[in-house]
Amino acid sequence: MSAFPNPSAVQTKSVPTWRQQDAKPFVQIEQITKQFGQFTAVNSVSLDIYRNELFCLLGGSGSGKSTLLRMLAGFEEPTSGRILIDGVDMTGIPPWERPVNMMFQSYALFPHLSVEANVAFGLKREGIKSPEVNRRVSEILDMVQLGHLAKRKPHMLSGGQRQRVALARALVKRPKLLLLDEPLGALDKKLREETQFELMRLQDELGITFVVVTHDQEEAMTLATRIGVMNNGEIVQTAEPHEVYEYPKSRFVAEFIGNVNLFDGVVVEDERDSVSIQSPDLDALLQVDHGISCAPNQEVSVAIRPEKIYISREPVDIEVNGAMGIISDVAYMGSQSVFKVRLASGKELRITQPNVSREMGSRLTWEDNVYLSWDPDSCVVLMS
Ligand code: ADP
Ligand code: MG
C-alpha cells in the first residue's frame, strides 16, 4: 500500500502525541476480552489512547462499545487482559478509586435538586468543604454556560441543558479521563451539532482525556482526534477521521463510514507503484496508483467515494477508470446533488456533486447518458 501522506509534514502546529514514535500512552488497553457466558462481547482489543485525546469508539449497535467503556470505568471486569491508566494497572480497582468519571446517556439527574446542587453532589459526598465546592461548581457551570440557570430544577431545563448539567457534574470532579456513552443521543440534530462543538471546546480548555462512544459516524468524524471502529467486539481500524474515510482498511470500514462504491474484481497487474484490477461490473480496467502486496489473481475490492467520480454528458476517455451509464435517480439536496447511474453491467454507482451555481438549465437529469471517470489516486484497494 502507498504510504499514507504524512500529515506531520504539512502540519504547522505541534505533532499530535499519537503520531510520535516514543510517546507514552495515557490509557493502555491490552488484549481485553469480555465474555458473557458463551458470548464474546469484546474480543481481544488492544488500544492506546493518549493524553488530551478525544477518542471516539464508533460502531453499530451491539458491537461492544459500551462494554469496553464500562471496563475502563471499572463497572465490568474483563474476562482476560488488562487496562492501565496513567501507568497504573486497574485490575481489581473499583470504579470510585479510578481517575475516571463516566457520563451516561440517561443523564440521571436528581429531580428534586437544583442544577447547582446536582453538580455539587459528588463533591460534597467526598467531604470537600463548602467554599471550595461553591467555587468549583460555579466555575464549571460558567464553563458549560449554565451559570444563569444554577437555581433551576432539572424539569425546568431543555434536553440540551440537562445534558450540560450531566456533563458539568462529571467534569467538576476533575477526572483525568472522562468516559461518555452516547452523550448526545437524546438531542435533536441541530442541538447535537452545537453540543459537539461545545464538547470539543471544553475538552480543549480542560485538558481532560475523553473517550466517547457513538454509533453516529458523522459525530465521530466531527469530534474525534482518532476513531476506533468496532465490529463484533473487535476494533477493526484505529486512525484519524480523515484517514478512516480516505484509507479504510476493509470493506466493512469503507461501508460503515459514509457512502462508497465498491467494485469486486481480480488483480491482473501488480506493479510497484500501480495495480490494475478487472471487475465484471465494469468494461474499463480499474487502475490504482499504488502497489499492493498480493498474490496474482487475488480477489480484491476497489472503493471509490461518490464525490470522487466526475460526471458529464460530454464524452471522455473511459478505457481506464471510467464508465458510461444512464442516470437512474437524482436527488437534489441543497448544497449537493446525488446521482445514481446505471452501467451496462447493471451495476449502479452513486455520485455526488456540489451545487455551485443556482442555474438550472444545464443540470443533469433522469435518463441522461453520462460519462463517468475518476483518478487513480481516488481509489482504495481493499483485501478484506
Ligand atoms: P454497544 O454499546 O456497541 O451497542 P454493548 O457493549 O452494549 O454494545 O453490547 C455488546 C454485546 O454484548 C451485545 O450483544 C449485548 O447484548 C451483549 N451484552 C452486553 N452486556 C451484557 C450482559 N451484562 N450480559 C449479557 N450480554 C451482554
Ligand atoms: Mg452502547
Side-chain angles (χ1 to χ4, degrees):
M1 282 271 180
S2 75
F4 180 68
N6 179 4
S8 62
V10 282
Q11 180 141 339
T12 50
K13 269 174 83 173
S14 63
V15 180
T17 344
W18 54 93
R19 282 196 225 134
Q20 297 168 18
Q21 285 293 312
D22 51 356
K24 192 170 149 309
F26 180 55
V27 178
Q28 292 159 279
I29 299 174
E30 299 179 349
Q31 299 216 318
I32 283 287
T33 292
K34 179 66 186 181
Q35 287 176 322
F36 296 109
Q38 293 296 304
F39 180 76
T40 306
V42 172
N43 190 3
S44 194
V45 164
S46 293
L47 176 66
D48 287 339
I49 297 169
Y50 295 87
R51 213 178 281 278
N52 292 334
E53 272 208 83
L54 202 165
F55 193 95
C56 280
L57 287 170
L58 171 68
S61 173
S63 58
K65 308 178 298 291
S66 294
T67 305
L68 185 55
L69 204 70
R70 292 170 61 79
M71 287 192 281
L72 279 170
F75 296 127
E76 211 75 79
E77 274 293 308
T79 308
S80 62
R82 59 173 200 163
I83 293 169
L84 286 81
I85 299 176
D86 211 4
V88 180
D89 188 344
M90 291 290 126
T91 310
I93 298 189
W96 57 90
E97 285 175 15
R98 298 186 181 206
V100 170
N101 218 333
M102 181 142 164
M103 194 189 119
F104 296 93
Q105 181 176 3
S106 55
Y107 308 132
L109 302 177
F110 297 115
H112 58 287
L113 295 183
S114 66
V115 166
E116 61 184 4
N118 261 286
V119 176
F121 187 83
L123 296 180
K124 286 193 173 150
R125 206 173 50 175
E126 277 179 17
I128 296 170
K129 296 264 177 330
S130 278
E132 164 83 358
V133 170
N134 294 341
R135 193 183 57 72
R136 278 169 65 175
V137 169
S138 82
E139 181 188 76
I140 204 80
L141 285 179
D142 284 345
M143 211 172 256
V144 298
Q145 293 160 19
L146 283 177
H148 61 298
L149 301 176
K151 306 285 180 209
R152 288 223 186 147
K153 297 275 172 61
H155 73 271
M156 301 156 83
L157 301 175
S158 70
Q161 289 163 342
R162 278 201 290 271
Q163 187 268 350
R164 289 193 332 245
V165 178
L167 190 60
R169 200 172 53 174
L171 288 170
V172 80
K173 293 176 94 177
R174 298 183 186 152
K176 290 187 197 167
L177 179 63
L178 184 65
L179 309 174
L180 304 106
D181 196 346
E182 309 265 3
L184 312 179
L187 308 182
D188 63 48
K189 189 170 159 51
K190 192 151 189 317
L191 196 54
R192 267 178 100 101
E193 278 168 16
E194 286 169 21
T195 314
Q196 282 165 8
F197 286 108
E198 199 163 309
L199 265 187
M200 290 191 284
R201 177 183 61 78
L202 277 172
Q203 194 268 347
D204 196 48
E205 275 177 22
L206 293 166
I208 294 174
T209 307
F210 281 22
V211 180
V212 179
V213 159
T214 178
H215 64 273
D216 181 332
Q217 44 108 1
E218 270 180 50
E219 184 160 291
M221 295 295 279
T222 310
L223 283 179
T225 51
R226 286 186 307 152
I227 297 174
V229 185
M230 290 196 76
N231 185 30
N232 287 331
E234 295 178 9
I235 292 203
V236 291
Q237 184 166 6
T238 303
E240 291 176 38
H242 67 103
E243 192 179 349
V244 173
Y245 185 80
E246 300 289 349
Y247 299 92
K249 269 172 62 178
S250 62
R251 286 182 67 123
F252 174 81
V253 176
E255 291 188 290
F256 191 75
I257 315 275
N259 289 294
V260 72
N261 297 294
L262 286 169
F263 294 101
D264 296 328
V266 286
V267 174
V268 292
E269 208 178 280
D270 185 15
E271 303 288 321
R272 212 168 69 84
D273 49 8
S274 84
V275 56
S276 301
I277 289 139
Q278 185 73 65
S279 166
D281 292 331
L282 206 58
D283 294 330
L285 208 57
L286 285 151
Q287 209 167 66
V288 185
D289 77 342
H290 56 74
I292 54 172
S293 41
C294 69
N297 296 319
Q298 172 147 359
E299 291 182 13
V300 295
S301 305
V302 176
I304 308 166
R305 296 288 181 191
E307 71 276 14
K308 297 204 163 83
I309 298 180
Y310 307 110
I311 179 169
S312 110
R313 271 189 298 246
E314 308 305 317
V316 296
D317 183 5
I318 53 166
E319 259 173 55
V320 169
N321 290 345
M324 215 166 73
I326 294 172
I327 294 182
S328 56
D329 208 353
V330 184
Y332 172 73
M333 300 176 71
S335 62
Q336 62 171 16
S337 291
V338 182
F339 302 97
K340 285 190 181 156
V341 174
R342 186 163 316 115
L343 311 184
S345 65
K347 172 92 174 170
E348 211 166 55
L349 298 186
R350 183 187 178 96
I351 295 123
T352 53
Q353 277 215 317
N355 291 325
V356 284
S357 89
R358 279 197 197 162
E359 184 212 330
M360 294 291 289
S362 63
R363 233 175 227 163
L364 296 164
T365 186
W366 277 268
E367 305 297 326
D368 275 354
N369 280 297
V370 288
Y371 293 83
L372 308 177
S373 60
W374 53 89
D375 298 327
D377 65 358
S378 298
C379 310
V380 180
V381 181
L382 304 171
M383 322 267 273
S384 61

CSV table of all heavy atoms in Angstrom, one decimal, residues 1-2 267-277 285-294 320-321 376-377 381:
chain,number,residue,atom,x,y,z
A,1,MET,N,0.8,-1.2,0.0
A,1,MET,CA,0.0,0.0,0.0
A,1,MET,C,0.9,1.2,0.0
A,1,MET,O,2.0,1.3,0.6
A,1,MET,CB,-0.8,0.0,1.3
A,1,MET,CG,-2.0,-0.9,1.2
A,1,MET,SD,-3.4,-0.1,0.5
A,1,MET,CE,-4.6,-1.3,0.5
A,2,SER,N,0.4,2.3,-0.6
A,2,SER,CA,1.2,3.5,-0.6
A,2,SER,C,1.3,4.0,0.8
A,2,SER,O,0.3,3.8,1.6
A,2,SER,CB,0.6,4.6,-1.5
A,2,SER,OG,-0.6,5.1,-0.9
A,267,VAL,N,-6.9,-8.9,-9.4
A,267,VAL,CA,-5.7,-8.2,-9.8
A,267,VAL,C,-5.2,-8.8,-11.0
A,267,VAL,O,-4.9,-10.0,-11.1
A,267,VAL,CB,-4.7,-8.3,-8.6
A,267,VAL,CG1,-3.4,-7.6,-9.1
A,267,VAL,CG2,-5.3,-7.6,-7.4
A,268,VAL,N,-5.0,-8.0,-12.1
A,268,VAL,CA,-4.5,-8.5,-13.3
A,268,VAL,C,-3.0,-8.0,-13.6
A,268,VAL,O,-2.3,-8.6,-14.4
A,268,VAL,CB,-5.4,-8.2,-14.6
A,268,VAL,CG1,-6.7,-8.9,-14.5
A,268,VAL,CG2,-5.6,-6.7,-14.7
A,269,GLU,N,-2.7,-7.0,-12.8
A,269,GLU,CA,-1.3,-6.5,-13.0
A,269,GLU,C,-0.9,-5.8,-11.7
A,269,GLU,O,-1.7,-5.0,-11.2
A,269,GLU,CB,-1.3,-5.5,-14.1
A,269,GLU,CG,0.0,-5.3,-14.8
A,269,GLU,CD,-0.1,-4.3,-16.0
A,269,GLU,OE1,-0.6,-4.7,-17.0
A,269,GLU,OE2,0.3,-3.2,-15.8
A,270,ASP,N,0.2,-6.2,-11.2
A,270,ASP,CA,0.6,-5.6,-9.9
A,270,ASP,C,2.1,-5.1,-10.0
A,270,ASP,O,3.0,-5.8,-9.9
A,270,ASP,CB,0.5,-6.7,-8.8
A,270,ASP,CG,0.9,-6.1,-7.4
A,270,ASP,OD1,0.9,-4.9,-7.2
A,270,ASP,OD2,1.1,-6.9,-6.5
A,271,GLU,N,2.2,-3.8,-10.3
A,271,GLU,CA,3.5,-3.2,-10.4
A,271,GLU,C,3.9,-2.6,-9.0
A,271,GLU,O,3.1,-2.6,-8.1
A,271,GLU,CB,3.5,-2.1,-11.4
A,271,GLU,CG,3.0,-2.5,-12.8
A,271,GLU,CD,4.1,-3.4,-13.5
A,271,GLU,OE1,5.3,-3.0,-13.4
A,271,GLU,OE2,3.7,-4.4,-14.1
A,272,ARG,N,5.1,-2.0,-9.0
A,272,ARG,CA,5.5,-1.5,-7.7
A,272,ARG,C,4.6,-0.3,-7.3
A,272,ARG,O,4.3,-0.1,-6.2
A,272,ARG,CB,7.0,-1.1,-7.8
A,272,ARG,CG,7.7,-1.2,-6.5
A,272,ARG,CD,9.2,-1.1,-6.7
A,272,ARG,NE,9.5,0.3,-7.0
A,272,ARG,CZ,9.7,1.2,-6.1
A,272,ARG,NH1,9.6,1.0,-4.9
A,272,ARG,NH2,10.0,2.5,-6.5
A,273,ASP,N,4.3,0.6,-8.3
A,273,ASP,CA,3.6,1.8,-7.9
A,273,ASP,C,2.2,1.9,-8.7
A,273,ASP,O,1.7,3.0,-8.8
A,273,ASP,CB,4.4,3.0,-8.1
A,273,ASP,CG,5.1,3.0,-9.5
A,273,ASP,OD1,4.7,2.2,-10.3
A,273,ASP,OD2,5.9,3.9,-9.7
A,274,SER,N,1.7,0.8,-9.2
A,274,SER,CA,0.3,0.8,-9.6
A,274,SER,C,-0.2,-0.6,-9.7
A,274,SER,O,0.6,-1.6,-9.7
A,274,SER,CB,0.2,1.4,-11.0
A,274,SER,OG,0.5,0.5,-12.0
A,275,VAL,N,-1.5,-0.7,-9.7
A,275,VAL,CA,-2.1,-2.0,-9.7
A,275,VAL,C,-3.4,-1.9,-10.6
A,275,VAL,O,-4.1,-0.9,-10.6
A,275,VAL,CB,-2.4,-2.6,-8.3
A,275,VAL,CG1,-3.3,-1.6,-7.5
A,275,VAL,CG2,-3.1,-3.9,-8.3
A,276,SER,N,-3.6,-3.0,-11.5
A,276,SER,CA,-4.7,-2.9,-12.3
A,276,SER,C,-5.7,-4.1,-11.9
A,276,SER,O,-5.2,-5.2,-11.6
A,276,SER,CB,-4.3,-3.1,-13.8
A,276,SER,OG,-3.4,-2.1,-14.2
A,277,ILE,N,-6.9,-3.7,-11.9
A,277,ILE,CA,-7.9,-4.7,-11.5
A,277,ILE,C,-9.1,-4.8,-12.5
A,277,ILE,O,-9.5,-3.7,-13.0
A,277,ILE,CB,-8.5,-4.2,-10.1
A,277,ILE,CG1,-7.4,-4.4,-9.0
A,277,ILE,CG2,-9.8,-5.0,-9.7
A,277,ILE,CD1,-7.3,-3.3,-8.0
A,285,LEU,N,-10.7,-1.0,-17.3
A,285,LEU,CA,-9.8,-1.5,-16.2
A,285,LEU,C,-9.8,-0.5,-15.1
A,285,LEU,O,-9.8,0.7,-15.3
A,285,LEU,CB,-8.4,-1.6,-16.9
A,285,LEU,CG,-7.5,-2.7,-16.3
A,285,LEU,CD1,-8.1,-4.1,-16.4
A,285,LEU,CD2,-6.2,-2.6,-17.2
A,286,LEU,N,-9.7,-1.0,-13.9
A,286,LEU,CA,-9.5,-0.1,-12.7
A,286,LEU,C,-8.0,0.0,-12.5
A,286,LEU,O,-7.3,-1.0,-12.4
A,286,LEU,CB,-10.2,-0.7,-11.5
A,286,LEU,CG,-11.7,-0.6,-11.4
A,286,LEU,CD1,-12.3,-1.8,-10.6
A,286,LEU,CD2,-12.1,0.7,-10.8
A,287,GLN,N,-7.5,1.2,-12.4
A,287,GLN,CA,-6.1,1.4,-12.2
A,287,GLN,C,-5.9,2.3,-10.9
A,287,GLN,O,-6.5,3.3,-10.8
A,287,GLN,CB,-5.5,2.1,-13.4
A,287,GLN,CG,-4.0,1.7,-13.5
A,287,GLN,CD,-3.5,2.1,-14.9
A,287,GLN,OE1,-3.5,3.3,-15.2
A,287,GLN,NE2,-3.2,1.2,-15.7
A,288,VAL,N,-5.1,1.7,-10.0
A,288,VAL,CA,-4.9,2.4,-8.8
A,288,VAL,C,-3.4,2.8,-8.7
A,288,VAL,O,-2.6,2.0,-9.1
A,288,VAL,CB,-5.3,1.5,-7.6
A,288,VAL,CG1,-5.2,2.3,-6.3
A,288,VAL,CG2,-6.7,1.0,-7.8
A,289,ASP,N,-3.1,4.0,-8.2
A,289,ASP,CA,-1.7,4.5,-8.4
A,289,ASP,C,-0.8,4.1,-7.2
A,289,ASP,O,0.0,4.9,-6.8
A,289,ASP,CB,-1.7,6.0,-8.6
A,289,ASP,CG,-2.0,6.8,-7.4
A,289,ASP,OD1,-2.5,6.2,-6.4
A,289,ASP,OD2,-1.6,7.9,-7.4
A,290,HIS,N,-1.0,2.9,-6.7
A,290,HIS,CA,-0.1,2.4,-5.7
A,290,HIS,C,-0.1,0.9,-5.8
A,290,HIS,O,-1.1,0.3,-6.1
A,290,HIS,CB,-0.3,2.9,-4.3
A,290,HIS,CG,-1.7,2.6,-3.8
A,290,HIS,ND1,-2.1,1.3,-3.4
A,290,HIS,CD2,-2.8,3.4,-3.7
A,290,HIS,CE1,-3.3,1.4,-3.0
A,290,HIS,NE2,-3.8,2.6,-3.2
A,291,GLY,N,1.0,0.3,-5.4
A,291,GLY,CA,1.1,-1.1,-5.4
A,291,GLY,C,0.5,-1.7,-4.2
A,291,GLY,O,0.2,-1.0,-3.2
A,292,ILE,N,0.1,-3.0,-4.2
A,292,ILE,CA,-0.3,-3.7,-3.0
A,292,ILE,C,0.5,-5.0,-3.0
A,292,ILE,O,1.0,-5.4,-4.0
A,292,ILE,CB,-1.8,-4.0,-3.1
A,292,ILE,CG1,-2.2,-4.8,-4.4
A,292,ILE,CG2,-2.7,-2.8,-3.0
A,292,ILE,CD1,-3.6,-5.3,-4.4
A,293,SER,N,0.6,-5.6,-1.8
A,293,SER,CA,1.3,-6.9,-1.8
A,293,SER,C,0.2,-7.9,-1.8
A,293,SER,O,-0.5,-8.1,-0.9
A,293,SER,CB,2.2,-7.0,-0.6
A,293,SER,OG,1.5,-6.5,0.5
A,294,CYS,N,0.1,-8.6,-3.0
A,294,CYS,CA,-0.9,-9.6,-3.1
A,294,CYS,C,-0.5,-10.7,-4.0
A,294,CYS,O,0.5,-10.6,-4.7
A,294,CYS,CB,-2.2,-9.0,-3.6
A,294,CYS,SG,-2.0,-8.4,-5.3
A,320,VAL,N,-9.8,3.4,-19.1
A,320,VAL,CA,-9.3,3.1,-17.8
A,320,VAL,C,-10.0,4.1,-16.8
A,320,VAL,O,-10.2,5.2,-17.1
A,320,VAL,CB,-7.8,3.4,-17.7
A,320,VAL,CG1,-7.3,3.3,-16.3
A,320,VAL,CG2,-7.1,2.3,-18.6
A,321,ASN,N,-10.4,3.5,-15.6
A,321,ASN,CA,-11.1,4.3,-14.6
A,321,ASN,C,-12.2,5.2,-15.2
A,321,ASN,O,-12.3,6.4,-15.0
A,321,ASN,CB,-10.1,5.2,-13.9
A,321,ASN,CG,-9.1,4.4,-13.0
A,321,ASN,OD1,-9.4,3.2,-12.7
A,321,ASN,ND2,-8.0,5.0,-12.6
A,376,PRO,N,-6.7,7.8,-10.6
A,376,PRO,CA,-6.1,6.6,-10.0
A,376,PRO,C,-5.9,6.7,-8.5
A,376,PRO,O,-5.9,5.8,-7.7
A,376,PRO,CB,-4.8,6.4,-10.7
A,376,PRO,CG,-4.8,7.4,-11.8
A,376,PRO,CD,-5.9,8.3,-11.7
A,377,ASP,N,-5.6,8.0,-8.0
A,377,ASP,CA,-5.4,8.1,-6.6
A,377,ASP,C,-6.7,8.3,-5.8
A,377,ASP,O,-6.6,8.5,-4.6
A,377,ASP,CB,-4.4,9.3,-6.3
A,377,ASP,CG,-4.9,10.6,-6.7
A,377,ASP,OD1,-6.1,10.7,-7.2
A,377,ASP,OD2,-4.2,11.6,-6.5
A,381,VAL,N,-7.7,0.1,-2.7
A,381,VAL,CA,-7.8,-1.4,-2.8
A,381,VAL,C,-8.0,-2.0,-1.5
A,381,VAL,O,-7.3,-1.8,-0.5
A,381,VAL,CB,-6.6,-2.0,-3.5
A,381,VAL,CG1,-6.8,-3.5,-3.7
A,381,VAL,CG2,-6.3,-1.3,-4.8
